[in-house]
């Protein structure tokens, strides 16, 4: 039967049953697959026949996971990776040549930024940056060497929203590829392909798994681009493991219901934070006070589970606040069932200068919360007692 709803794809898009008639898809922990005879082996290797050969290339569990994400994002094809960063790196490494140029938002995931500043220049690939709140500046940065326009929305940890439709128009006009890291939104909340993205990247480690268990990454988008990414990966080996794919494919079955609650809790927490005296700003996409609220409403189904807020007291009060937290966890991950609190200025972004931090919206008192699935009253109670300083 044909179906086209997100929740049904997430649950019913599964591998064919084996001879054991299992209801829940089993794990295929095998490094290679067997051929019937010499002709079968030849046809498989020459790709005349679509089949599994070796799990560095494809495996039934990774295929199932990829097929789900492809359907959820409305993409043509996809490929899965060991981590989100393997997905990001393999995308650039397979599509770019020496001399090529990237135009990226300045506020991107820390390791992606390090890739632009430290590693891609080794292969003579350079990057220019635009501020998330100034899309007008993008076109001035595009040169004949520019191949990729790259961005995340919402951004981390500033929770800025970039107008994906506008980015899609710019990429189309200049005939460059639009690549969006859609990790913070998930395919349930936002589908960048609808707005003109050629490729969409996810760290599956975050909300896709949602329970802080496994690492993973995935890229979906145009078939011919995925073909290049697949061939690069098949030869260089950043592939997702069948075990992680099995876990993640099950995780996707509950993505929609988890996200509904994550976002409901996050909005309540954001509204609570807005009423607090020692907080100067609260940034959450679906708060009417968010500077890009109307863009968020246009391109996102829900507001996501990440909130950024600024304590009035700066660096010291940020650290005091973290020390006073009891229920929520201080950890580097996000998008978990457990609510997670981080203080970027003293941790993830401490290597940047204060000025560099301010440029990407990180004040000394900025706190990022990844709102979990505990009862929202308990989350708020913990924040409330920690705010009494
Ligand atoms: C975590 C994250 C990544 C990297 O993913 P890993 O699975 O940790 O390698 C990339 N982009 C964004 C936006 C992330 O939050």
């Amino acid at each position: 039967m044909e179906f086209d709803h997100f929740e049904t794809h997430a649950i019913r898009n599964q591998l064919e049953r084996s001879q054991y008639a299992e209801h829940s898809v089993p794990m295929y922990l095998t490094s290679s697959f067997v051929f019937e005879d010499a002709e079968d082996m030849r046809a498989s290797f020459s790709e005349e026949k679509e089949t599994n050969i070796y799990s560095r290339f494809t495996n039934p569990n990774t295929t199932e996971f990829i097929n789900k994400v492809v359907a959820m994002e409305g993409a043509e094809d996809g490929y899965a990776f060991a981590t989100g960063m393997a997905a990001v790196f393999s995308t650039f490494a397979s599509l770019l040549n020496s001399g090529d140029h990237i135009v990226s938002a300045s506020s991107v995931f820390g390791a992606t930024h390090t890739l632009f500043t430290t590693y891609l220049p080794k292969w003579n690939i350079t990057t220019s940056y635009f501020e998330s709140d100034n899309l007008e500046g993008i076109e001035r940065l595009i040169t004949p060497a520019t191949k990729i326009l790259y961005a995340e929305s919402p951004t981390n940890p500033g929770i800025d929203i970039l107008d994906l439709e506008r980015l899609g128009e710019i990429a189309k006009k200049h005939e460059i590829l639009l690549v969006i890291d859609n990790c913070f939104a998930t395919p349930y909340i936002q589908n960048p392909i609808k707005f003109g993205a050629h490729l969409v990247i996810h760290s599956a480690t975050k909300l896709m798994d949602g329970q802080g268990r496994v690492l993973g990454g995935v890229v979906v988008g145009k078939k011919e681009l995925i073909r290049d990414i697949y061939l690069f990966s098949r030869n260089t080996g950043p592939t997702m493991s069948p075990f992680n794919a099995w876990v993640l494919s099950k995780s996707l079955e509950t993505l929609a219901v988890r996200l509904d609650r994550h976002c409901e809790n996050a909005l309540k927490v954001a509204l609570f934070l807005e009423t607090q005296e020692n907080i100067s700003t609260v940034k959450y996409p679906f708060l009417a006070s968010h500077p890009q609220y109307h863009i968020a409403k246009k391109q996102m189904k829900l507001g996501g589970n990440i909130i950024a807020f600024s304590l009035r007291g700066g660096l010291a009060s940020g650290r005091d606040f973290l020390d006073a937290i009891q229920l929520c966890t201080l950890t580097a991950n996000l998008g978990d069932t457990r609510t997670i609190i981080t203080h970027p200025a003293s941790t993830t972004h401490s290597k940047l200068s204060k000025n560099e931090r301010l440029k990407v919206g990180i004040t000394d008192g900025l706190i990022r919360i990844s709102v979990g699935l505990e009862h929202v009253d308990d989350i708020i109670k913990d924040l409330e007692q920690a705010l009494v300083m």
Side-chain angles (χ1 to χ4, degrees):
M1 185 188 121
E2 289 283 316
F3 50 80
D4 56 300
H5 288 92
F6 185 94
E7 294 81 352
T8 317
H9 276 304
I11 292 168
R12 290 293 177 178
N13 214 327
Q14 62 181 58
L15 295 175
E16 267 175 45
R17 293 197 177 104
S18 77
Q19 74 266 39
Y20 298 113
E22 68 278 349
H23 194 203
S24 172
V25 171
M27 220 187 289
Y28 289 91
L29 290 186
T30 177
S31 28
S32 67
F33 299 83
V34 177
F35 307 100
E36 274 167 33
D37 51 28
E39 172 51 24
D40 183 33
M41 194 162 188
R42 186 206 59 77
S44 301
F45 270 85
S46 71
E47 295 187 74
E48 279 165 38
K49 184 177 169 187
E50 204 176 299
T51 183
N52 295 299
I53 299 174
Y54 188 60
S55 287
R56 168 151 45 76
F57 311 172
T58 61
N59 170 282
N61 291 122
T62 50
T63 300
E64 181 184 273
F65 169 69
I66 293 163
N67 286 346
K68 284 186 183 183
V69 182
V70 164
M72 289 169 160
E73 285 286 14
E76 293 172 6
D77 206 354
Y79 197 70
F81 297 86
T83 65
M85 281 321 299
V88 173
F89 175 70
S90 302
T91 300
F92 289 120
S94 52
L95 301 179
L96 296 178
N97 292 313
S98 173
D100 285 348
H101 176 244
I102 302 164
V103 171
S104 169
S106 58
S107 179
V108 290
F109 186 67
T112 305
H113 196 260
T114 305
L115 193 61
F116 292 156
T117 55
T118 309
Y119 295 103
L120 293 184
K122 289 175 29 152
W123 299 291
N124 192 29
I125 294 166
T126 52
T127 307
S128 304
Y129 305 95
F130 62 91
E131 304 297 324
S132 319
D133 57 359
N134 179 17
L135 303 192
E136 302 306 317
I138 296 176
E139 293 196 70
R140 283 195 297 278
L141 300 174
I142 295 173
T143 74
T146 307
K147 293 284 150 60
I148 288 178
L149 176 58
Y150 188 83
E152 300 171 7
S153 184
T155 63
N156 176 30
I159 314 298
D160 287 318
I161 301 295
L162 281 79
D163 187 338
L164 296 178
E165 192 176 5
R166 182 84 191 93
L167 293 178
E169 286 163 4
I170 294 170
K172 191 168 180 202
K173 178 173 163 199
H174 294 271
E175 296 182 340
I176 56 178
L177 298 177
L178 177 61
V179 181
I180 298 292
D181 180 334
N182 200 28
C183 168
F184 269 40
T186 81
Y188 182 59
I189 290 183
Q190 171 175 287
N191 296 128
I193 289 172
K194 273 203 289 213
F195 302 102
H198 300 86
L199 291 170
V200 176
I201 301 180
H202 287 280
S203 164
T205 315
K206 311 294 170 53
L207 286 157
M208 275 194 182
D209 176 45
Q211 288 144 90
R213 303 171 297 186
V214 295
L215 295 144
V218 58
V219 182
V220 300
K222 291 259 176 244
K223 206 172 187 71
E224 67 276 10
L225 300 173
I226 296 294
R227 172 80 186 156
D228 287 345
I229 294 169
Y230 162 69
L231 289 175
F232 173 85
S233 308
R234 160 177 174 152
N235 286 296
T236 56
T239 314
M240 176 180 279
S241 78
F243 176 79
N244 285 14
W246 178 83
V247 173
L248 287 164
S249 192
K250 310 276 180 217
S251 307
L252 290 180
E253 295 184 12
T254 57
L255 185 68
V257 286
R258 285 188 284 111
L259 260 288
D260 280 340
R261 182 62 68 83
H262 271 294
C263 298
E264 183 189 324
N265 283 358
L267 183 60
K268 285 183 186 159
V269 170
L271 289 168
F272 159 77
L273 293 170
E274 271 200 322
T275 65
Q276 297 301 296
E277 297 252 304
N278 36 10
I279 292 175
S280 53
T281 52
V282 180
K283 257 170 115 181
Y284 180 70
F286 272 25
L287 280 184
S289 59
H290 190 289
Q292 293 101 25
Y293 173 72
H294 293 287
I295 301 170
K297 280 282 188 180
K298 179 180 77 172
Q299 64 194 30
M300 297 171 77
K301 176 178 169 150
L302 293 164
N305 82 317
I306 316 282
I307 305 168
F309 67 90
S310 279
L311 291 165
R312 290 193 193 278
L315 207 58
S317 67
R319 294 174 56 106
D320 289 347
F321 175 75
L322 255 62
D323 286 342
I325 284 293
Q326 294 177 14
L327 173 76
C328 305
T329 329
L330 315 183
T331 179
N333 197 16
L334 62 89
D336 193 295
T337 50
R338 287 157 279 258
T339 298
I340 292 168
I341 303 195
T342 53
H343 180 222
S346 69
T347 57
T348 47
H349 293 70
S350 61
K351 289 197 189 76
L352 301 187
S353 71
K354 190 169 171 159
N355 257 345
E356 285 176 311
R357 282 202 296 268
L358 284 177
K359 269 186 123 176
V360 292
I362 303 171
T363 59
D364 280 346
L366 185 85
I367 302 284
R368 186 192 76 189
I369 309 186
S370 162
V371 178
L373 300 179
E374 305 96 337
H375 196 287
V376 68
D377 292 349
D378 290 327
I379 301 170
I380 290 174
K381 192 172 164 189
D382 191 24
L383 299 174
E384 194 166 23
Q385 64 80 25
L387 281 166
V388 184
M389 293 183 290

